[in-house]
Amino acid sequence: MQKKIISDQYFAKITMVFYAKIMNKTRTSFKCSNCNYTTIKWIGCCPECKEWDSLVENIISHHGGSNKVHVGITPAHLTSLTSIDAQEQPRILSSIGEWDRVVGGGLVPGSLIVITGDPGIGKSTLLLQVACEIATTKRVFYFSTEESLQQLKSRAIRLKTAHNNLLFSDAAELSSIIATAQQEKPDVLIIDSIQNCYINDANTLPGSVGQLREAAFQLMRLSKEHTITVIITGHITKEGIIAGPKTLEHMVDAVFYLQGEDRWQTRMLRAVKNRFGAINELGFFNMEHNGLQEVPNINAHLISEISHAPGSAIVSIMEGSRPLLLELQALTNASKLTMPQRVVSGLDHKQVVLIAAILEKYVKIKLSMHDIFFKVSGGFRIKGSESDLGTAFALLSSYFQEPLPEKSIALGEISLTGQIKPINNIGYLVKEAEKFGITTLLIAKNQTLEKTSCVIKRFHNVYELVSLFGQ
Ligand code: TYD
Ligand code: MG
């Protein structure tokens, strides 16, 4: 049956292209919306990226030369920026502080945003809570294309969310959703999820990349033309990218990932693209029996879990506009293998190997004969190199089996020549660390620093790091 439907669609597509060629004297090409591979023939599976039904038709007119006089077409109206009213519309705030901060200080009217994450992570729960808060001042429409209205109702009872300004529908056909929005003009339109929406008159298969692209395009126009904030949810694939990857991320104003941590019930909302705010901004929530509850004081939570033990070092990194206090944990053990193991999570594997090599070279310790296990606590990922000094201290502390000074934090980069380098934004990091009881700073010799109540230990080179371990 499935085969028959597909073969009918293939046949229709081929006929359509052939007809278009004869009647309009046009040339067509097909471009993969996933990897931009181009071919003159439509094929079901892209030979380049192996995505199914991702080829989208481009029609190239024969009469497209610049000398052609266009009859009956209204030319575009041009204007200078001075005549444009620059007054920004006020942002749409929910009273959920973590949400408002991550979206860039409230939702921008007329923007199109995507919330994505693994199934069951809490996207629908978060959106229902946000929708209800926004509905106290604005009109919100919630189109649930995945769950029935009964399922939504039971969730709403659990979350104790209900408001007369928040209206629901289980319609999933895009043109009917758009027609409703055009007629009723809500302030916020939520579609949960975009992958379950379908377009009746499209030449693409429901759920395909082509259709996703078409849906995002239509919703973008809706949001801009009628100043409606459109929020859509999207699933992510096994590889952790939004299904129909580049397509959605490029077309929308902002993309947020809701991510979970294996051990806690904590969820992180991360801005990965935002035309109206900072990227990498993080918001924290706890999944509880009555929905997602904000965790505004995440550092208190993180610091309470830190142990004062050999192999542990505290570092601080900026995530968006917020400094986070994280624990690095290292375990080094004399290896019985010819190729000692390096098992790293939360940090680039190569970065740990590099710091171990620098220590071996300049401090003359035999880390190359040791297995190294290394992790960042709390399931966080560190990208920059401002945690280099902390990485070195964690490795040395495990190697010598001696803890670092209690309540100390390491802030510095390490160069290939073994020098400890200063880092940016140290003022913010130190202020936050002091708030949570840090009393000793381990930093670079030439790091400039404002006045602080902490004890400061400065290091010029990795040789000097061993002085902390009674060596
Ligand atoms: P859901 O919002 O449906 O996830 P998504 O839309 O991302 O697929 O979240 C479902 C999970 O959240 C489910 O495992 C149950 C849990 N949950 C709670 O723990 N507490 C709650 O109050 C709610 C509504 C859900
Ligand atoms: Mg859902």
Side-chain angles (χ1 to χ4, degrees):
M1 188 61 196
Q2 180 69 6
K3 224 176 189 168
K4 167 115 180 56
I5 293 168
I6 291 175
S7 63
D8 280 351
Q9 293 217 359
Y10 273 36
F11 183 71
K13 191 156 272 178
I14 291 162
T15 318
M16 197 188 71
V17 172
F18 188 60
Y19 188 72
K21 274 188 179 168
I22 296 174
M23 295 306 289
N24 303 328
K25 291 200 177 70
T26 55
R27 274 190 297 126
T28 51
S29 72
F30 294 87
K31 195 173 186 180
C32 174
S33 51
N34 191 31
C35 69
N36 287 344
Y37 173 83
T38 308
T39 167
I40 52 164
K41 269 196 343 204
W42 188 84
I43 31 181
C45 176
C46 172
E48 191 77 24
C49 66
K50 306 282 180 270
E51 183 83 33
W52 279 92
D53 200 34
S54 60
L55 273 81
V56 181
E57 185 182 2
N58 286 330
I59 298 181
I60 309 152
S61 170
H62 269 311
H63 324 289
S66 58
N67 292 335
K68 187 183 173 231
V69 179
H70 294 272
V71 182
I73 296 174
T74 325
H77 173 67
L78 295 171
T79 182
S80 95
L81 285 183
T82 46
S83 60
I84 308 261
D85 184 9
Q87 218 177 27
E88 260 189 37
Q89 278 185 287
R91 301 226 175 186
I92 302 169
L93 293 169
S94 69
S95 55
I96 304 173
E98 290 290 282
W99 163 271
D100 288 341
R101 196 171 45 76
V102 174
V103 297
L107 293 168
V108 174
S111 59
L112 170 60
I113 72 174
V114 178
I115 312 284
T116 185
D118 290 328
I121 199 76
K123 300 180 291 296
S124 307
T125 307
L126 178 64
L127 280 184
L128 194 54
Q129 289 178 261
V130 168
C132 193
E133 290 297 336
I134 292 177
T136 53
T137 52
K138 305 275 179 194
R139 287 179 74 221
V140 186
F141 287 3
Y142 192 117
F143 285 87
S144 173
T145 61
E146 278 183 359
E147 289 171 87
S148 68
L149 294 181
Q150 283 75 18
Q151 286 170 313
L152 261 177
K153 166 100 189 189
S154 64
R155 188 198 301 264
I157 292 172
R158 196 166 165 188
L159 301 177
K160 298 196 179 66
T161 51
H163 203 286
N164 287 345
N165 273 344
L166 171 58
L167 299 177
F168 295 93
S169 165
D170 57 3
E173 209 276 303
L174 191 73
S175 46
S176 104
I177 295 176
I178 291 182
T180 316
Q182 281 171 337
Q183 198 181 324
E184 301 287 330
K185 298 200 173 36
D187 298 290
V188 178
L189 172 74
I190 296 173
I191 303 178
D192 182 14
S193 72
I194 190 72
Q195 270 106 350
N196 278 36
C197 265
Y198 63 94
I199 307 173
N200 259 345
D201 51 359
N203 296 320
T204 46
L205 295 172
S208 66
V209 178
Q211 201 159 98
L212 205 64
R213 191 171 129 127
E214 176 69 27
F217 179 72
Q218 290 192 26
L219 289 170
M220 191 58 149
R221 299 213 31 184
L222 173 78
S223 68
K224 299 289 172 268
E225 284 168 12
H226 297 270
T227 326
I228 297 171
T229 302
V230 181
I231 307 176
I232 56 183
T233 64
H235 297 192
I236 53 177
T237 60
K238 287 197 292 298
E239 293 80 31
I241 39 180
I242 309 175
K246 307 270 185 297
T247 322
L248 274 186
E249 288 206 9
H250 284 166
M251 294 177 75
V252 302
D253 292 313
V255 180
F256 303 97
Y257 278 64
L258 189 62
Q259 299 166 318
E261 206 281 313
D262 38 8
R263 196 160 41 86
W264 325 333
Q265 287 294 33
T266 305
R267 304 284 185 269
M268 281 183 260
L269 183 68
R270 181 188 291 273
V272 288
K273 167 180 175 175
N274 194 352
R275 286 193 180 137
F276 314 109
I279 57 160
N280 279 338
E281 193 69 70
L282 274 182
F284 294 89
F285 300 89
N286 258 341
M287 183 58 99
E288 288 168 17
H289 67 281
N290 55 349
L292 287 163
Q293 305 303 325
E294 304 183 64
V295 188
N297 237 344
I298 188 70
N299 279 328
H301 197 93
L302 292 170
I303 210 106
S304 69
E305 300 219 323
I306 293 176
S307 53
H308 178 239
S312 156
I314 306 175
V315 295
S316 184
I317 53 156
M318 290 298 282
E319 280 281 3
S321 60
R322 183 201 320 242
L324 289 182
L325 293 167
L326 302 178
E327 183 190 27
L328 304 180
Q329 297 169 0
L331 174 68
T332 66
N333 242 345
S335 181
K336 294 186 176 59
L337 305 169
T338 39
M339 279 276 282
Q341 298 182 76
R342 274 47 186 139
V343 182
V344 180
S345 69
L347 201 69
D348 185 5
H349 172 262
K350 289 195 197 112
Q351 196 71 9
V352 176
V353 173
L354 178 72
I355 302 290
I358 293 173
L359 290 176
E360 172 137 11
K361 175 88 181 168
Y362 297 106
V363 188
K364 309 271 183 256
I365 55 172
K366 284 273 166 241
L367 279 175
S368 59
M369 318 271 276
H370 280 62
D371 290 327
I372 296 177
F373 303 93
F374 199 95
K375 71 176 276 195
V376 179
S377 70
F380 288 90
R381 272 207 74 78
I382 299 181
K383 287 202 200 88
S385 47
E386 62 266 48
S387 61
D388 282 358
L389 186 59
T391 307
F393 273 129
L395 289 170
L396 290 172
S397 163
S398 174
Y399 186 86
F400 295 123
Q401 272 304 292
E402 277 184 48
L404 286 166
E406 209 171 341
K407 301 208 164 87
S408 62
I409 187 171
L411 302 166
E413 290 182 22
I414 298 182
S415 72
L416 289 183
T417 54
Q419 303 223 319
I420 316 297
K421 299 275 185 193
I423 59 166
N424 297 329
N425 289 327
I426 193 157
Y428 287 117
L429 302 177
V430 170
K431 224 179 259 166
E432 184 76 2
E434 279 177 334
K435 240 198 271 174
F436 291 96
I438 296 292
T439 52
T440 306
L441 304 179
L442 310 172
I443 56 175
K445 186 136 203 158
N446 54 352
Q447 175 80 61
T448 48
L449 192 65
E450 284 169 25
K451 210 164 158 275
T452 163
S453 57
C454 293
V455 175
I456 302 175
K457 290 192 191 282
R458 292 181 180 271
F459 303 90
H460 178 56
N461 201 292
V462 283
Y463 301 123
E464 298 165 13
L465 302 186
V466 284
S467 64
L468 280 190
F469 303 101
Q471 298 296 308

